[in-house]
Amino acid sequence: MAIFFTSPLFFLIILCFSISVVHLSASPTLVLNLVHSYHIYSRKPPHVYHIKEASVERLEYLKAKTTGDIIAHLSPNVPIIPQAFLVNISIGSPPITQLLHMDTASDLLWIQCLPCINCYAQSLPIFDPSRSYTHRNETCRTSQYSMPSLKFNANTRSCEYSMRYVDDTGSKGILAREMLLFNTIYDESSSAALHDVVFGCGHDNYGEPLVGTGILGLGYGEFSLVHRFGKKFSYCFGSLDDPSYPHNVLVLGDDGANILGDTTPLEIHNGFYYVTIEAISVDGIILPIDPRVFNRNHQTGLGGTIIDTGNSLTSLVEEAYKPLKNRIEDIFEGRFTAADVSQDDMIKMECYNGNFERDLVESGFPIVTFHFSEGAELSLDVKSLFMKLSPNVFCLAVTPGNLNSIGATAQQSYNIGYDLEAMEVSF
């Protein structure tokens, strides 16, 4: 059974209440519109260094989590990254509208809850569990390596979760179960209900404000919503700079997920989705990169390549980044000088003096292709490879880092499909 979802404008969602509810059966399918954050907050593109700052923190989080040095299942850069894809849901009975940030590197569905010890400012009402008759606390299944960290509170008879991040952002609250409502296109007043969804009810949330009101975790951890919909999911979104792209969509469920195109083996580790890059080419010419720099070390957990919708930028280890940067600058043939822009010491974005539309988009730039094991390819056009900083300055959207991570910019205009049973991902 396929259930389709269409998101109305943010301020209209609050006024709509479903009077006809379809109750989802086992292994259902949902097709959900993804709402670009520009539609909600601002159509003005963010300053590229806000994106870079978010990406720095994101990479530190990913590295820490892959090595087990941190307990967290919430994207640490969500509070400050201006570009995000949000899913409109309602939670509780009566339902309260939420806009959740879609993140393949997080597991737990998390929202802010009353009463607040600390809560970020949000435009939508903060969920009050005491007003929902379908709300109930979840039991604790604690272990030494549980993610998020769980602790049973004997006084309140509740399971408390705690998440912390390298940027001093964090969330604490109660692990609970609730009913979720998803809008459908049967008619304007129908919804699809999913019962007993485990989520984090955050009462103490500290750090920068969220984009949206919480997180929709699509990782592979125990609490991920993916497990309620079978073994497949897929998503498609266009340019991060185009909030009006009509085909931004998330599909959950075996019957509806689009596993299109060539596939490559998928590896799951600590809830992350890993793929294996074998080579990178520019205009069909393979770069001189030792393919071993893309391998994951199974002893340390380091290395490999993570698919990460929670980060705009793509990161490559230095051994892969330098050949790519050098080839791009060879193509420039000295036409663009390095831009004198303020940068920090944690990570350096390569920026150039030039007009993005005239010198890159209109003049054309060779396609950069990531070649994965078993033949799958992900091609980056000029808008996936560069970001405009100002009318006459643009920056490379691939940065050097301590791990390989394919960000949302590189994934734009592609359908990405995950088959968790076959352990494959398609581009």
Side-chain angles (χ1 to χ4, degrees):
M1 177 181 66
I3 306 297
F4 295 86
F5 170 100
T6 302
S7 292
L9 291 177
F10 166 73
F11 54 88
L12 292 178
I13 298 173
I14 309 173
L15 303 178
C16 298
F17 179 75
S18 299
I19 60 175
S20 174
V21 177
V22 176
H23 295 271
L24 297 176
S25 59
S27 299
T29 292
L30 284 177
V31 181
L32 313 180
N33 279 354
L34 294 173
V35 182
H36 198 298
S37 57
Y38 287 3
H39 266 312
I40 309 303
Y41 298 100
S42 171
R43 290 182 178 269
K44 182 180 179 181
H47 195 284
V48 70
Y49 288 107
H50 292 169
I51 296 176
K52 191 187 86 165
E53 179 184 1
S55 297
V56 168
E57 295 172 0
R58 180 71 170 189
L59 291 174
E60 291 299 315
Y61 159 73
L62 294 179
K63 180 182 179 183
K65 189 181 170 201
T66 57
T67 57
D69 294 335
I70 198 166
I71 296 175
H73 268 216
L74 172 64
S75 167
N77 72 321
V78 166
I80 61 176
I81 189 167
Q83 294 170 310
F85 289 103
L86 309 173
V87 179
N88 165 236
I89 70 163
S90 295
I91 187 168
S93 304
I96 303 298
T97 298
Q98 304 289 311
L99 284 166
L100 304 184
H101 183 288
M102 172 189 139
D103 188 0
T104 56
S106 298
D107 299 335
L108 184 67
L109 190 158
W110 176 92
I111 63 172
Q112 299 193 117
C113 288
L114 296 175
C116 284
I117 299 173
N118 293 292
C119 278
Y120 313 113
Q122 63 180 57
S123 299
L124 286 168
I126 296 177
F127 179 64
D128 184 350
S130 68
R131 294 179 176 270
S132 172
Y133 64 81
T134 50
H135 183 88
R136 60 188 177 89
N137 288 347
E138 173 70 345
T139 57
C140 256
R141 296 182 295 277
T142 59
S143 69
Q144 182 180 358
Y145 303 104
S146 63
M147 288 183 165
S149 176
L150 301 178
K151 180 179 68 174
F152 179 71
N153 188 320
N155 294 327
T156 61
R157 308 296 297 174
S158 62
C159 185
E160 298 178 344
Y161 75 89
S162 175
M163 301 182 293
R164 62 182 177 85
Y165 318 99
V166 294
D167 63 346
D168 292 326
T169 297
S171 177
K172 297 178 181 179
I174 304 300
L175 199 66
R177 287 181 179 263
E178 257 295 3
M179 181 177 71
L180 299 186
L181 287 177
F182 306 88
N183 290 353
T184 75
I185 63 168
Y186 288 139
D187 56 63
E188 293 183 354
S189 61
S190 67
S191 291
L194 185 65
H195 296 269
D196 292 326
V197 176
V198 176
F199 78 107
C201 205
H203 299 288
D204 185 6
N205 317 298
Y206 48 94
E208 297 292 332
L210 289 166
V211 171
T213 64
I215 301 298
L216 179 67
L218 297 178
Y220 195 72
E222 177 183 2
F223 302 117
S224 174
L225 191 63
V226 168
H227 298 302
R228 296 293 300 271
F229 292 87
K231 296 292 185 179
K232 297 179 182 179
F233 72 96
S234 63
Y235 56 86
C236 178
F237 44 75
S239 172
L240 294 182
D241 294 326
D242 181 10
S244 299
Y245 183 73
H247 304 299
N248 298 327
V249 66
L250 167 66
V251 184
L252 297 169
D254 294 348
D255 293 335
N258 295 314
I259 313 298
L260 304 174
D262 295 328
T263 61
T264 188
L266 178 70
E267 183 182 3
I268 300 172
H269 177 66
N270 277 354
F272 288 139
Y273 300 120
Y274 284 85
V275 290
T276 301
I277 298 176
E278 293 187 337
I280 299 176
S281 67
V282 179
D283 200 19
I285 300 175
I286 299 295
L287 297 177
I289 302 172
D290 187 339
R292 289 176 295 182
V293 305
F294 300 118
N295 293 340
R296 190 174 75 82
N297 187 313
H298 293 269
Q299 280 70 44
T300 65
L302 294 175
T305 302
I306 296 171
I307 304 179
D308 181 17
T309 62
N311 194 354
S312 292
L313 302 180
T314 290
S315 170
L316 293 175
V317 294
E318 195 73 22
E319 297 88 344
Y321 173 78
K322 278 188 175 180
L324 175 60
K325 180 184 79 74
N326 292 341
R327 179 57 186 145
I328 289 172
E329 293 185 344
D330 287 343
I331 294 171
F332 285 165
E333 296 181 329
R335 290 177 294 149
F336 312 117
T337 58
D340 184 16
V341 293
S342 174
Q343 303 220 32
D344 57 47
D345 295 330
M346 292 186 67
I347 187 170
K348 181 177 175 58
M349 293 184 70
E350 302 295 336
C351 297
Y352 306 89
N353 293 304
N355 185 281
F356 181 79
E357 282 79 12
R358 181 194 64 214
D359 297 329
L360 293 180
V361 178
E362 295 176 9
S363 299
F365 192 87
I367 297 294
V368 172
T369 303
F370 287 4
H371 302 267
F372 299 95
S373 60
E374 298 190 6
E377 296 180 348
L378 179 63
S379 298
L380 280 61
D381 62 13
V382 65
K383 292 185 177 180
S384 301
L385 193 60
F386 297 96
M387 303 180 71
K388 182 169 70 173
L389 174 60
S390 68
N392 292 304
V393 176
F394 58 84
C395 301
L396 184 61
V398 181
T399 64
N402 48 31
L403 54 80
N404 302 302
S405 173
I406 301 174
T409 303
Q411 299 177 56
Q412 64 184 19
S413 300
Y414 275 87
N415 180 86
I416 313 294
Y418 298 76
D419 188 332
L420 306 181
E421 186 170 35
M423 297 297 284
E424 293 179 337
V425 61
S426 65
F427 297 98

